[in-house]
Amino acid sequence: VSTQSTGGNMNATQGKTVRIGCWSGFWGDSSFGAHQLVHQTKELDYLVGDYLAEVTMGILARSKNKSTSEVRGGMGEGGYVKEFIFSVWKPLMKEIIARNIKVVTNAGGMNPVALKKAIEEVSRSAGLNVVVAAVAGDDITENYHEKKSNGDIFPYILEGEEEHIPEDKILMSANVYFGAEPISEALKAGAQVVVTGRCTDSAIVLGPLIKEFNWELNDYDKLASGSFAGHILECGCQATGGNFTDWDLSYKSGWDNVGFPIAECFSDGTFIVTKPENTGGIVTVATVAEQMLYEIHDPSSYILPDVIVDFRDIKLQLISQSHGPGRVFVSGVKGRSPTPYYKVSSTLLDGFKTEAQLMIGGIDAVPKAQAVAKSIISKTCLLYTSPSPRDRQKSRM
């Protein structure tokens, strides 16, 4: 890891650049991110959004067999993320199409085909003819037990620990984590919007890069690099100081308008991490490095359906921070052939409801928590077009 600051573009092979911005790290992330990336970037090729944490699949599974009139809480018929329609696509579709920005998202959840139809309907009502592709086939709920009895589904052993598969619970859903290949094929076929069900988080970035650079599916170093770019972007503002050990450095530039991450990608697999100008948060070697280590287990073997990524020789170099947003150059990602298996995410009815809380710990936990609370209140007020004194009085720390 290098913190050396240099000028210029570190990419050795000048040529085509593909710019990808990520507006969502999970369902519940601010939809403001999509608006920021579209309105505050002059050049953007792809807009990607990740909605599907494992717990999200459990939430969406409850709506899997419900009609439009029966679903609640931002969900669409059959369990897709309807919030994408009214918070992202509907208000931004005209500018997205006018600027030829492609959109890739896993907001399809349990029913990507239904989301595809909803996007087409909203677009037609606005006089737009949009080519939308849905990547389906990840849902194996109906034949899960058959596959399990045939030995096609078995527990995953990670670092000596075997995942237990309960036998006495009601199965609500079972979904395979797809990789990037079907996304790239949909884009090659002319799709302007690609919606998926369960896929790996990084696939929504790797898919566009395979298409744009014509990468071969056995060029594992490049697939690993594209997957790593997806890994950095997939959690949204975690890479731009939103979830950072030295949080006070990030907070100084503002969290209520924190910048959402952008990857400027090159054909050799290298890329630059940055964010829109005049936004809060920071992009440094440290913010990118912390996201690099997020949920990877063995850094020599980050297992994906497309490739196994080796993080051990990755180099991060700060190339600009004095003027404008920080820029970190990423190189040295290695990859090797994937396993012959797919991971399956299943949800089971266990008779419990979940309760969540936000825990903030570590050094200076109290002022950090106060900063988070203040930023949430400030951001909420910014979402109102004309916040009244009464709105603010309802907020307490």
Side-chain angles (χ1 to χ4, degrees):
V1 174
S2 170
T3 57
Q4 178 182 0
S5 180
T6 62
N9 187 343
M10 297 298 296
N11 185 46
T13 56
Q14 299 291 330
K16 181 177 181 178
T17 302
V18 177
R19 294 172 176 84
I20 304 175
C22 179
W23 85 79
S24 176
F26 62 98
W27 186 21
D29 206 347
S30 173
S31 59
F32 172 77
H35 297 254
Q36 179 196 93
L37 288 165
V38 171
H39 294 150
Q40 294 184 234
T41 57
K42 295 179 181 178
E43 295 180 285
L44 191 67
D45 300 297
Y46 285 87
L47 191 64
V48 302
D50 173 26
Y51 287 93
L52 300 183
E54 282 68 31
V55 68
T56 312
M57 298 301 284
I59 295 170
L60 293 173
R62 295 183 304 179
S63 300
K64 193 172 181 181
N65 298 314
K66 293 182 179 179
S67 65
T68 302
S69 61
E70 295 175 307
V71 292
R72 298 288 186 273
M75 288 181 276
E77 178 181 0
Y80 69 85
V81 182
K82 190 176 182 180
E83 181 180 302
F84 166 74
I85 294 288
F86 58 77
S87 294
V88 177
W89 183 249
K90 192 171 183 178
L92 292 174
M93 58 184 175
K94 290 185 177 180
E95 185 169 355
I96 286 173
I97 296 302
R99 292 177 55 185
N100 195 30
I101 299 171
K102 306 293 192 302
V103 177
V104 181
T105 179
N106 57 17
M110 294 287 176
N111 197 341
V113 175
L115 176 56
K116 167 184 165 13
K117 293 178 180 177
I119 294 170
E120 291 170 337
E121 182 179 345
V122 170
S123 302
R124 279 195 300 269
S125 67
L128 297 175
N129 183 21
V130 181
V131 180
V132 185
V135 176
D138 60 294
D139 189 345
I140 60 168
T141 307
E142 290 188 5
N143 55 359
Y144 172 86
H145 292 292
E146 178 185 351
K147 287 182 176 295
K148 187 171 179 295
S149 63
N150 291 339
D152 294 328
I153 295 177
F154 50 87
Y156 180 59
I157 300 175
L158 177 65
E159 298 173 2
E161 295 185 11
E162 182 175 316
E163 183 75 20
H164 175 63
I165 301 178
E167 301 288 348
D168 58 342
K169 308 296 181 184
I170 298 174
L171 180 72
M172 296 182 66
S173 67
N175 296 80
V176 175
Y177 284 76
F178 277 176
E181 184 179 3
I183 297 173
S184 68
E185 290 300 316
L187 292 168
K188 289 176 184 177
Q192 296 164 289
V193 180
V194 180
V195 297
T196 76
R198 180 71 275 183
C199 66
T200 60
D201 300 339
S202 56
I204 60 175
V205 172
L206 177 58
L209 295 178
I210 292 173
K211 183 266 182 184
E212 293 295 333
F213 294 128
N214 292 313
W215 287 345
E216 299 293 337
L217 296 181
N218 61 356
D219 194 339
Y220 296 122
D221 284 348
K222 289 180 180 177
L223 296 186
S225 296
S227 297
F228 185 65
H231 177 70
I232 296 301
L233 295 188
E234 71 179 69
C235 291
C237 297
Q238 283 192 191
T240 58
N243 185 16
F244 181 42
T245 298
D246 299 317
W247 63 271
D248 54 327
L249 299 177
S250 173
Y251 179 62
K252 287 177 182 176
S253 61
W255 281 347
D256 55 1
N257 186 34
V258 63
F260 282 73
I262 297 170
E264 299 175 358
C265 305
F266 310 109
S267 61
D268 63 353
T270 60
F271 61 95
I272 293 171
V273 183
T274 187
K275 63 185 182 71
E277 293 188 13
N278 303 314
T279 58
I282 54 174
V283 177
T284 66
V285 166
T287 65
V288 176
E290 286 199 13
Q291 175 59 24
M292 174 176 70
L293 300 176
Y294 182 74
E295 294 183 341
I296 64 168
H297 297 289
D298 182 353
S300 70
S301 300
Y302 183 53
I303 301 174
L304 297 168
D306 304 293
V307 64
I308 296 176
V309 187
D310 188 340
F311 288 61
R312 292 175 295 177
D313 294 321
I314 292 175
K315 296 178 177 61
L316 308 177
Q317 189 166 2
L318 184 68
I319 59 173
S320 175
Q321 194 178 32
S322 57
H323 301 289
R327 294 169 63 80
V328 172
F329 181 76
V330 181
S331 61
V333 188
K334 299 296 182 183
R336 59 185 186 274
S337 60
T339 73
Y341 307 109
Y342 285 97
K343 185 169 75 171
V344 175
S345 172
S346 61
T347 59
L348 306 167
L349 186 61
D350 201 22
F352 293 92
K353 290 187 176 181
T354 60
E355 180 176 305
Q357 64 181 16
L358 177 62
M359 189 281 291
I360 296 176
I363 300 172
D364 296 327
V366 172
K368 183 178 181 181
Q370 291 171 336
V372 170
K374 184 177 180 180
S375 297
I376 290 173
I377 293 171
S378 177
K379 180 59 174 285
T380 302
C381 290
L382 289 174
L383 294 176
Y384 289 99
T385 54
S386 301
S388 67
R390 184 177 180 182
D391 292 326
R392 295 175 185 272
Q393 288 170 4
K394 291 179 181 179
S395 302
R396 297 192 305 273
M397 286 178 57

